[in-house]
């Protein structure tokens, strides 16, 4: 079992930066790829980024390339998502998930999900 807890969300002005954290418990954390997703009101869950179990491979949605950076520290059971140049349309609940070793863009491929952290970007 893997338990995930997100943190780092909050209210930020457009153009600012935010770093989200996904902290996991469980011995098998390092064996999982981790994905970040977001869901805005009245919208479907959106894939943002994924990182492989080793951290050597990452993938990003086209919409966030260049602004979002995913990284992990397996020793600390932590995955982070750095978000730069925030835009109002980034407002959403951001969730991390543990799944396939090499990551996936498909939400249904992930076994474990955190509760999510709210990111609100003001104009």
């Amino acid at each position: 079992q893997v338990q995930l807890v997100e943190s780092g969300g909050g209210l930020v002005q457009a153009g600012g930066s935010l770093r989200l954290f996904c902290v996991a418990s469980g011995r098998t954390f390092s064996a999982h790829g981790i994905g970040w997703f977001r869901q805005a009101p009245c919208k479907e869950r959106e894939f943002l980024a994924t990182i492989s179990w080793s951290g050597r491979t990452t993938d990003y949605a086209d919409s966030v390339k260049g602004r979002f950076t995913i990284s992990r520290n397996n020793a600390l059971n932590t995955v982070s998502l750095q978000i730069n140049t925030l835009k109002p349309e980034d407002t959403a609940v951001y969730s991390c998930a543990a799944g396939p070793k090499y990551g996936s863009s498909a939400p249904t491929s992930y076994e474990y999900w955190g509760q999510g952290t709210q990111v609100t970007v003001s104009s």
Side-chain angles (χ1 to χ4, degrees), residues 17 36 49 64 99 107 114:
S17 299
W36 277 99
V64 303

Side-chain angles (χ1 to χ4, degrees), residues 7-96:
S7 63
L11 176 62
V12 186
Q13 292 184 349
S17 299
L18 203 61
R19 192 175 186 90
L20 307 181
F21 299 91
C22 175
V23 180
S25 62
R27 292 175 56 198
T28 61
F29 173 75
S30 62
H32 290 83
I34 301 295
W36 277 99
F37 299 81
R38 68 185 179 190
Q39 187 167 23
C42 302
K43 294 184 179 179
E44 297 296 316
R45 180 172 287 146
E46 177 187 8
F47 166 73
L48 299 173
T50 187
I51 188 166
S52 66
W53 68 277
S54 67
R56 292 193 294 267
T57 302
T58 59
D59 190 29
Y60 298 90
D62 289 340
S63 61
V64 303
K65 286 180 180 177
R67 294 196 301 120
F68 287 28
T69 302
I70 188 171
S71 61
R72 72 187 296 165
N73 187 329
N74 287 345
L76 299 178
N77 285 353
T78 302
V79 173
S80 65
L81 183 69
Q82 178 69 36
I83 310 174
N84 297 326
T85 319
L86 281 157
K87 306 174 181 179
E89 52 263 41
D90 292 323
T91 297
V93 174
Y94 286 68
S95 301
C96 64

